[in-house]
């Protein structure tokens, strides 16, 4: 056995040291393992469901151009693999000749395993070869490791196209089909309640969603890569990214909005009569309250000398007319028209009842003030009686003056209120005994002396 030395170049200069037997065996073992891994990957790519779908689909747009390039690349990968297989088979055959190879054999093994021992021609697929190398070449020489790296790069690019397309096809068409089934159910419900195209905006929206979903499904099938969003940060992993569901999500949200609207219309159909009866009751109560307010206004004007009594509006004629229209919609089963009308009427009817109640309160306010003054006057008189001052002439005079004002018609509320206040003050003074002076008689109070002095 000779001593391993460098492999001479054509010019006679050493280029690389010759491997010994153990180094050659280790390199050969590693390259055989690489060969098996590459073969497994290429066979898996060949059998990939996404690849089979791409081969049989009528592709358009971005997917068509990228798959055409990927097909050429896959063909080139098999060409590279065949060249790799041939070079590796030659090296294995050379190594198997002798258990202890000589220097010439080791030098040849070194050249096969480490040197540019593989010659490649790009004539069959120049575009794919240029995509891997960055430039078009007619032929080139590579080491086995460089060839493995070249195949790994090409495999990742081809697999990325296959995985991305398969991911979109696995995600979007099934979801679109499920949404289309929900759309058919919603359209059936819509037709049952009179929501049809040309008659109701929701009916037109359902037609638009139907057309959009049909177009979206066709586009996804023919050009799946147009619906692929690469991973943020530029991930280099094959299939790194996610399907773009923006258009699908928009139509799903629109259908959900329409479905809720249809369910509301169905709810109207189920309890329309109850809601109509409640509306009639609310409007009837508002009308009765307004009638009561008008009657009370006449009474106030007759009994109270007041010029600020507010006027009472007429009955809610417009609401009653719309209630008749709502009943007609129900009779004709025009639920899609009845639904928004009932919602509007319910809100306005409650407002009308509240307005009628406020009108009654405002009109009867003077009567309430008079009643409060009367109650206050009587309460103070009872208090005077409990303290034994019922016969006090001054207090009786103040009481009679206030009472005449409160029980006369029309009653001047301002003057009556002043009279009641004067009576309250007199009672308060009468119930607080002052300290007797030298000329005072026992038990004589200031109001009494003042009253007698006035007489």
């Amino acid at each position: 056995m000779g001593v391993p030395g460098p492999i001479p170049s054509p010019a006679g200069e050493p280029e690389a040291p010759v491997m010994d037997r153990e180094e050659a065996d280790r390199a050969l073992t590693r390259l055989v393992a690489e060969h098996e891994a590459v073969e497994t990957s290429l066979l898996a790519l060949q059998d990939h469901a996404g690849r089979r779908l791409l081969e049989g689909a009528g592709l358009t747009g971005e997917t068509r151009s990228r798959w055409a390039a990927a097909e050429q690349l896959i063909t080139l990968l098999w060409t590279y693999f065949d060249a790799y297989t041939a070079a590796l088979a030659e090296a294995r055959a050379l190594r198997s000749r002798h258990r202890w190879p000589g220097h010439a054999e080791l030098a040849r093994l070194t050249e096969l395993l480490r040197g540019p021992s593989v010659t490649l021609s790009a004539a069959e697929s120049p575009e794919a070869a240029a995509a891997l190398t960055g430039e078009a070449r007619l032929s080139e020489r590579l080491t086995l490791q460089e060839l493995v790296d070249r195949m790994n790069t090409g495999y990742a690019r081809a697999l990325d196209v296959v995985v991305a397309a398969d991911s979109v096809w696995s995600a979007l068409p099934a979801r679109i089909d499920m949404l289309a089934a929900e759309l058919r159910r919603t359209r059936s419900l819509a037709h049952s309640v009179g929501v049809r195209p040309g008659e109701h905006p929701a009916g037109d929206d359902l037609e638009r969603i139907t057309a959009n979903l049909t177009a979206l499904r066709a586009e996804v099938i023919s050009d799946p890569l147009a619906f692929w969003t690469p991973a943020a940060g530029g991930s280099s992993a094959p299939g790194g990214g996610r399907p773009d569901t923006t258009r699908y999500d928009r139509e799903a949200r629109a259908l959900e909005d329409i479905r809720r609207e249809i369910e509301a219309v169905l709810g109207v159909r189920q309890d329309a009569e109850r809601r109509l009866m409640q509306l009639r009751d609310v409007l009837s109560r508002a009308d009765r309250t307004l009638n009561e307010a008008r009657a009370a206004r006449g009474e106030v004007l007759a009994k109270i000398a007041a010029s600020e009594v507010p006027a009472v509006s007429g009955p809610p004629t417009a609401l009653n007319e719309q209630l008749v229209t709502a009943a007609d919609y129900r009779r004709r089963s025009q639920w899609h028209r009845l639904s928004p009308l009932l919602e509007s009427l319910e809100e306005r009817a409650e407002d009308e009842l509240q307005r009628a109640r406020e009108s009654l309160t405002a009109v009867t306010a003077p009567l309430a003030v008079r009643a409060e003054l009367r109650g206050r006057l009587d309460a103070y008189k009872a208090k005077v009686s409990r303290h034994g001052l019922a016969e006090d002439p001054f207090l009786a005079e103040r009481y009679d003056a206030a009472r005449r004002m409160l029980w006369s018609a029309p009653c001047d509320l301002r003057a009556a209120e002043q009279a009641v206040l004067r009576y309250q003050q007199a009672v308060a003074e009468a119930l607080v005994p002052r300290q007797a002076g030298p000329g005072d008689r026992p038990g004589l109070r200031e109001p009494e002396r003042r009253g007698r002095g006035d007489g």
Side-chain angles (χ1 to χ4, degrees):
M1 290 175 49
V3 180
I7 301 174
S9 68
E13 298 176 356
E15 291 184 350
V18 175
M19 295 186 296
D20 60 24
R21 180 177 62 84
E22 292 181 355
E23 288 178 327
D25 288 343
R26 287 196 297 268
L28 193 58
T29 300
R30 178 178 55 80
L31 291 173
V32 168
E34 290 277 8
H35 177 272
E36 293 176 354
V38 170
E39 183 179 29
T40 301
S41 298
L42 289 177
L43 290 175
L45 178 60
Q46 192 75 17
D47 294 334
H48 197 288
R51 182 182 186 277
R52 294 197 298 270
L53 290 173
L54 283 166
E55 286 182 334
L59 302 177
T60 61
E62 179 183 356
T63 306
R64 180 178 180 178
S65 60
R66 289 184 62 184
W67 173 238
E71 276 192 308
Q72 292 182 345
L73 188 54
I74 292 172
T75 301
L76 186 61
L77 288 176
W78 282 107
T79 301
Y80 287 173
F81 180 73
D82 291 341
Y84 183 91
T85 302
L88 188 60
E90 182 181 354
R92 295 178 72 180
L94 178 61
R95 176 64 186 89
S96 64
R97 290 177 186 173
H98 300 95
R99 182 178 180 183
W100 301 99
H103 177 74
E105 290 177 333
L106 289 174
R108 178 58 180 161
L109 277 174
T110 301
E111 182 181 0
L112 289 174
L113 298 179
R114 288 186 176 177
S117 58
V118 181
T119 301
L120 299 177
S121 172
E124 295 182 0
S125 182
E127 296 85 356
L132 290 176
T133 62
E135 57 179 317
R137 300 176 183 175
L138 293 179
S139 63
E140 56 183 331
R141 292 178 60 83
L142 300 174
T143 66
L144 289 179
Q145 186 58 52
E146 289 172 340
L147 187 56
V148 168
D149 295 340
R150 180 80 59 85
M151 286 190 290
N152 286 335
T153 301
Y155 172 78
R157 292 188 180 183
L159 183 63
D160 184 61
V161 173
V162 172
V163 171
D166 186 55
S167 297
V168 172
W169 278 333
S170 298
L172 273 176
R175 296 173 69 179
I176 293 172
D177 291 342
M178 292 177 62
L179 189 62
E182 178 64 24
L183 175 61
R184 288 191 292 271
R185 288 191 293 270
T186 303
R187 289 180 66 182
S188 177
L189 284 175
H191 284 196
S192 70
V193 295
V195 177
R196 297 181 176 87
E199 299 180 8
H200 191 278
D204 297 332
D205 290 340
L206 286 173
E207 290 297 305
R208 177 188 57 77
I209 294 173
T210 301
N212 289 348
L213 283 182
T214 301
L216 177 61
R217 194 181 194 285
E219 292 177 34
V220 168
I221 294 301
S222 65
D223 191 8
L225 295 184
F227 298 88
W228 181 253
T229 301
S235 173
S236 59
R242 60 176 180 81
D244 182 3
T245 61
T246 302
R247 288 173 57 183
Y248 167 85
D249 293 338
R250 182 171 61 246
E251 302 304 330
R253 287 192 299 269
L255 180 59
E256 179 62 21
D257 292 341
I258 295 175
R259 188 185 63 78
R260 284 196 295 265
E261 184 175 351
I262 299 303
E263 288 179 351
V265 174
L266 285 171
V268 170
R269 183 174 69 176
Q270 293 171 358
D271 63 351
E273 184 59 33
R274 177 186 61 80
R275 294 174 69 181
L276 284 171
M277 289 180 63
Q278 288 179 346
L279 275 171
R280 293 189 188 98
D281 178 64
V282 172
L283 291 178
S284 177
R285 282 188 286 158
D287 195 29
R288 289 195 303 270
T289 304
L290 288 176
N291 289 334
E292 186 179 350
R294 281 189 286 273
R297 188 173 189 275
E299 180 184 357
V300 169
L301 292 176
K303 295 181 177 181
I304 306 295
S307 59
E308 62 273 9
V309 181
V312 180
S313 62
T317 306
L319 290 181
N320 285 313
E321 291 176 352
Q322 290 184 331
L323 186 59
V324 172
T325 301
D328 184 60
Y329 285 160
R330 179 188 177 280
R331 187 167 52 255
R332 298 182 181 182
S333 299
Q334 295 180 331
W335 311 110
H336 61 289
R337 290 191 173 96
L338 180 59
S339 176
L341 181 57
L342 281 179
E343 292 177 2
S344 173
L345 282 175
E346 287 168 344
E347 181 178 354
R348 294 169 60 192
E350 290 294 336
D351 291 343
E352 182 64 27
L353 179 58
Q354 181 63 27
R355 184 178 64 84
R357 289 169 175 168
E358 291 172 353
S359 181
L360 177 61
T361 301
V363 165
T364 57
L367 293 177
V369 172
R370 187 186 67 173
E372 190 274 334
L373 290 174
R374 285 179 174 181
R376 196 193 314 172
L377 183 66
D378 290 342
Y380 271 91
K381 182 182 179 183
K383 186 175 183 179
V384 167
S385 298
R386 288 196 305 271
H387 285 81
L389 299 175
E391 302 301 326
D392 190 307
F394 180 72
L395 295 179
E397 177 188 353
R398 291 287 175 91
Y399 172 78
D400 291 340
R403 192 178 189 285
R404 281 194 303 273
M405 291 183 185
L406 286 173
W407 267 266
S408 63
C411 172
D412 187 340
L413 285 179
R414 292 188 178 87
E417 184 177 13
Q418 292 302 317
V420 172
L421 288 174
R422 285 194 295 272
Y423 178 64
Q424 288 179 238
Q425 292 171 357
V427 171
E429 292 175 359
L431 294 179
V432 181
R434 60 173 296 185
Q435 186 175 359
D440 293 335
R441 291 182 299 170
L444 188 63
R445 295 173 177 80
E446 180 62 24
E448 185 177 352
R449 292 203 306 276
R450 187 168 58 249
R452 293 188 180 185
D454 293 341

